[in-house]
Amino acid sequence: MSILVFSIFISIFIYKNYSIVSNQLVLLQNEKIDSIIKTITPIISINLTLGLEDNIKEIVNESIKLHKELLLHR
């Protein structure tokens, strides 16, 4: 009987830890993506101001190639 109770507690503990770690990974991923977006936004803005649309396409394409997670964002 005590082995069953112990197993249940261990299972709950493992589940809680997995849940916490999983949530932290999602938060870190979102922070990374937000950081990437904040980095390229001024560059895009400058190119828009100067009318350099082709540069914008290149910047976006390069950013997506380097950071595939941008495609999965939100």
Side-chain angles (χ1 to χ4, degrees):
M1 183 67 174
S2 66
I3 291 176
L4 179 64
V5 172
F6 181 73
S7 295
I8 291 172
F9 280 123
I10 290 296
S11 296
I12 292 171
F13 177 75
I14 290 171
Y15 175 76
K16 289 286 190 182
N17 279 339
Y18 173 80
S19 179
I20 290 169
V21 169
S22 178
N23 287 338
Q24 288 298 319
L25 287 174
V26 168
L27 288 174
L28 287 172
Q29 185 71 11
N30 285 339
E31 287 177 12
K32 179 181 177 186
I33 290 170
D34 288 343
S35 176
I36 293 166
I37 291 170
K38 286 177 185 175
T39 301
I40 65 172
T41 299
I43 299 168
I44 291 173
S45 177
I46 289 170
N47 282 284
L48 261 177
T49 302
L50 298 174
L52 304 171
E53 286 83 11
D54 289 337
N55 286 357
I56 295 170
K57 291 176 189 174
E58 185 178 323
I59 291 165
V60 171
N61 284 332
E62 286 298 316
S63 295
I64 289 172
K65 285 179 190 173
L66 288 173
H67 307 284
K68 301 250 187 248
E69 63 270 14
L70 288 175
L71 295 174
L72 304 173
H73 186 56
R74 297 173 207 213

